[in-house]
Amino acid sequence: MPSSFLDFSVQIALLFLSATFLITVFKVIKGPTLPDRVLALDLLVAAAIGFTAVLGIKTGFTLYLDIAIALGLVGFLATVAFARFILARGQTEETEGGDVQPSIEAKEIVTESKAPAQKQTASKKTSTKRTSAPKPKTKKASTPRKTTPKAKS
Amino acid sequence: MIAALADIVAGLLLIAGAIFVLLAAVGLWRLPDIYSRMHAASKAGTLGSGLMLIALAVHAGDTSTTSRAIAGVVFFLLTAPISAHLLAKAAYAVGYRLTGESVMDELRKK
């Protein structure tokens, strides 16, 4: 009875993890922006670690645990490298959903941080761009933001 | 008796971890912007894989395997917030917008 329950739960976990792989890979393909894709890759690494653990239980080889730890290290380093790359590259695609601010400012940010010589200059430029943004825009934008949650609740 | 109990506990941990990872993948599709998707993928994904590693530790019952699994869980719990924080910081500094339904943006400069 117990070992059959363990086999059953291993099958269920493999099924769920396969569905997770499928959903996440489609998110990597479709994801509208680069951070979405990086985040989906991060989740893919987490799912692969879980998959390795399930395989370790199913086959009885505990050597899979070392593979899982190494995979976690590689995934962490990959995410950090991708974050640095996003910071150096700048925003090149429009953000989906309701944009609070007009897209003119976003385009200005893109053109300004298009060719950053260093990472810190790019971040400084964007931050100064934020501070130099006119105030009435933010006030206009903040009024519908405060009304939407009240209307929901 | 102990082995049967360990099997049942390991099975329950496996199912719980797989459900967490699946919900993280669903949240990746359902949530509106990158910063809220990060909640699902970073927290639920790490918890799911950590639960499955603990299931492996419970099932093995070996000291070296258990200690390695605990070390792996601690490692993931330490590194996942760092990578998610770096990614969110990079995305915000570059200019990816919050969704229109956001209530507060505390990083916005006055």
Side-chain angles (χ1 to χ4, degrees), chain A residues 21-33:
Chain A
F21 273 126
L22 203 63
I23 293 172
T24 314
V25 166
F26 276 129
K27 186 65 182 175
V28 172
I29 294 171
K30 187 184 170 293
T33 63

PDB file of all heavy atoms in Angstrom, chain A residues 21-33:
ATOM      1  N   PHE A  21       6.339  22.254 -17.588  1.00  0.00           N
ATOM      2  CA  PHE A  21       7.335  22.466 -18.641  1.00  0.00           C
ATOM      3  C   PHE A  21       6.670  23.024 -19.899  1.00  0.00           C
ATOM      4  O   PHE A  21       7.163  23.989 -20.503  1.00  0.00           O
ATOM      5  CB  PHE A  21       8.029  21.147 -18.982  1.00  0.00           C
ATOM      6  CG  PHE A  21       9.206  20.843 -18.123  1.00  0.00           C
ATOM      7  CD1 PHE A  21       9.298  19.651 -17.442  1.00  0.00           C
ATOM      8  CD2 PHE A  21      10.228  21.760 -17.994  1.00  0.00           C
ATOM      9  CE1 PHE A  21      10.376  19.374 -16.646  1.00  0.00           C
ATOM     10  CE2 PHE A  21      11.315  21.486 -17.203  1.00  0.00           C
ATOM     11  CZ  PHE A  21      11.380  20.294 -16.524  1.00  0.00           C
ATOM     12  N   LEU A  22       5.546  22.438 -20.265  1.00  0.00           N
ATOM     13  CA  LEU A  22       4.854  22.860 -21.493  1.00  0.00           C
ATOM     14  C   LEU A  22       4.415  24.317 -21.387  1.00  0.00           C
ATOM     15  O   LEU A  22       4.704  25.148 -22.267  1.00  0.00           O
ATOM     16  CB  LEU A  22       3.651  21.939 -21.719  1.00  0.00           C
ATOM     17  CG  LEU A  22       3.146  21.838 -23.142  1.00  0.00           C
ATOM     18  CD1 LEU A  22       4.225  21.248 -24.018  1.00  0.00           C
ATOM     19  CD2 LEU A  22       1.899  20.987 -23.180  1.00  0.00           C
ATOM     20  N   ILE A  23       3.746  24.651 -20.274  1.00  0.00           N
ATOM     21  CA  ILE A  23       3.238  26.011 -20.092  1.00  0.00           C
ATOM     22  C   ILE A  23       4.389  27.012 -20.085  1.00  0.00           C
ATOM     23  O   ILE A  23       4.337  28.066 -20.732  1.00  0.00           O
ATOM     24  CB  ILE A  23       2.440  26.091 -18.779  1.00  0.00           C
ATOM     25  CG1 ILE A  23       1.162  25.257 -18.879  1.00  0.00           C
ATOM     26  CG2 ILE A  23       2.070  27.519 -18.461  1.00  0.00           C
ATOM     27  CD1 ILE A  23       0.447  25.139 -17.566  1.00  0.00           C
ATOM     28  N   THR A  24       5.469  26.654 -19.380  1.00  0.00           N
ATOM     29  CA  THR A  24       6.576  27.608 -19.232  1.00  0.00           C
ATOM     30  C   THR A  24       7.334  27.788 -20.550  1.00  0.00           C
ATOM     31  O   THR A  24       7.773  28.894 -20.865  1.00  0.00           O
ATOM     32  CB  THR A  24       7.522  27.123 -18.135  1.00  0.00           C
ATOM     33  OG1 THR A  24       6.746  26.720 -17.021  1.00  0.00           O
ATOM     34  CG2 THR A  24       8.436  28.225 -17.702  1.00  0.00           C
ATOM     35  N   VAL A  25       7.480  26.713 -21.316  1.00  0.00           N
ATOM     36  CA  VAL A  25       8.167  26.854 -22.600  1.00  0.00           C
ATOM     37  C   VAL A  25       7.343  27.722 -23.545  1.00  0.00           C
ATOM     38  O   VAL A  25       7.891  28.572 -24.272  1.00  0.00           O
ATOM     39  CB  VAL A  25       8.446  25.462 -23.199  1.00  0.00           C
ATOM     40  CG1 VAL A  25       8.824  25.576 -24.653  1.00  0.00           C
ATOM     41  CG2 VAL A  25       9.579  24.807 -22.450  1.00  0.00           C
ATOM     42  N   PHE A  26       6.014  27.578 -23.501  1.00  0.00           N
ATOM     43  CA  PHE A  26       5.186  28.466 -24.325  1.00  0.00           C
ATOM     44  C   PHE A  26       5.308  29.909 -23.861  1.00  0.00           C
ATOM     45  O   PHE A  26       5.261  30.835 -24.673  1.00  0.00           O
ATOM     46  CB  PHE A  26       3.722  28.015 -24.290  1.00  0.00           C
ATOM     47  CG  PHE A  26       3.424  26.947 -25.279  1.00  0.00           C
ATOM     48  CD1 PHE A  26       2.786  25.779 -24.899  1.00  0.00           C
ATOM     49  CD2 PHE A  26       3.794  27.101 -26.611  1.00  0.00           C
ATOM     50  CE1 PHE A  26       2.533  24.788 -25.814  1.00  0.00           C
ATOM     51  CE2 PHE A  26       3.533  26.119 -27.528  1.00  0.00           C
ATOM     52  CZ  PHE A  26       2.905  24.958 -27.137  1.00  0.00           C
ATOM     53  N   LYS A  27       5.499  30.083 -22.543  1.00  0.00           N
ATOM     54  CA  LYS A  27       5.686  31.453 -22.056  1.00  0.00           C
ATOM     55  C   LYS A  27       7.024  32.012 -22.513  1.00  0.00           C
ATOM     56  O   LYS A  27       7.131  33.197 -22.836  1.00  0.00           O
ATOM     57  CB  LYS A  27       5.591  31.471 -20.527  1.00  0.00           C
ATOM     58  CG  LYS A  27       5.618  32.860 -19.935  1.00  0.00           C
ATOM     59  CD  LYS A  27       4.405  33.634 -20.351  1.00  0.00           C
ATOM     60  CE  LYS A  27       4.449  35.041 -19.792  1.00  0.00           C
ATOM     61  NZ  LYS A  27       3.325  35.832 -20.294  1.00  0.00           N
ATOM     62  N   VAL A  28       8.044  31.158 -22.557  1.00  0.00           N
ATOM     63  CA  VAL A  28       9.345  31.617 -23.065  1.00  0.00           C
ATOM     64  C   VAL A  28       9.208  32.035 -24.521  1.00  0.00           C
ATOM     65  O   VAL A  28       9.770  33.047 -24.960  1.00  0.00           O
ATOM     66  CB  VAL A  28      10.409  30.507 -22.916  1.00  0.00           C
ATOM     67  CG1 VAL A  28      11.689  30.911 -23.610  1.00  0.00           C
ATOM     68  CG2 VAL A  28      10.685  30.248 -21.462  1.00  0.00           C
ATOM     69  N   ILE A  29       8.434  31.272 -25.290  1.00  0.00           N
ATOM     70  CA  ILE A  29       8.285  31.604 -26.704  1.00  0.00           C
ATOM     71  C   ILE A  29       7.468  32.876 -26.878  1.00  0.00           C
ATOM     72  O   ILE A  29       7.848  33.775 -27.614  1.00  0.00           O
ATOM     73  CB  ILE A  29       7.622  30.422 -27.447  1.00  0.00           C
ATOM     74  CG1 ILE A  29       8.554  29.220 -27.441  1.00  0.00           C
ATOM     75  CG2 ILE A  29       7.281  30.805 -28.867  1.00  0.00           C
ATOM     76  CD1 ILE A  29       7.918  27.963 -27.938  1.00  0.00           C
ATOM     77  N   LYS A  30       6.362  32.971 -26.172  1.00  0.00           N
ATOM     78  CA  LYS A  30       5.412  34.052 -26.430  1.00  0.00           C
ATOM     79  C   LYS A  30       5.722  35.319 -25.644  1.00  0.00           C
ATOM     80  O   LYS A  30       5.439  36.412 -26.136  1.00  0.00           O
ATOM     81  CB  LYS A  30       3.994  33.579 -26.079  1.00  0.00           C
ATOM     82  CG  LYS A  30       2.936  34.596 -26.484  1.00  0.00           C
ATOM     83  CD  LYS A  30       1.578  34.161 -26.056  1.00  0.00           C
ATOM     84  CE  LYS A  30       0.603  35.297 -26.251  1.00  0.00           C
ATOM     85  NZ  LYS A  30       0.894  36.395 -25.334  1.00  0.00           N
ATOM     86  N   GLY A  31       6.323  35.156 -24.458  1.00  0.00           N
ATOM     87  CA  GLY A  31       6.530  36.265 -23.538  1.00  0.00           C
ATOM     88  C   GLY A  31       6.817  37.595 -24.198  1.00  0.00           C
ATOM     89  O   GLY A  31       7.767  37.701 -24.969  1.00  0.00           O
ATOM     90  N   PRO A  32       6.033  38.620 -23.923  1.00  0.00           N
ATOM     91  CA  PRO A  32       6.158  39.825 -24.734  1.00  0.00           C
ATOM     92  C   PRO A  32       7.475  40.566 -24.547  1.00  0.00           C
ATOM     93  O   PRO A  32       7.957  41.179 -25.490  1.00  0.00           O
ATOM     94  CB  PRO A  32       4.979  40.676 -24.276  1.00  0.00           C
ATOM     95  CG  PRO A  32       4.633  40.154 -22.939  1.00  0.00           C
ATOM     96  CD  PRO A  32       4.964  38.722 -22.930  1.00  0.00           C
ATOM     97  N   THR A  33       8.046  40.507 -23.370  1.00  0.00           N
ATOM     98  CA  THR A  33       9.279  41.261 -23.134  1.00  0.00           C
ATOM     99  C   THR A  33      10.398  40.320 -22.729  1.00  0.00           C
ATOM    100  O   THR A  33      10.168  39.159 -22.388  1.00  0.00           O
ATOM    101  CB  THR A  33       9.078  42.311 -22.035  1.00  0.00           C
ATOM    102  OG1 THR A  33       8.761  41.637 -20.837  1.00  0.00           O
ATOM    103  CG2 THR A  33       7.957  43.266 -22.398  1.00  0.00           C
TER     104      THR A  33
END
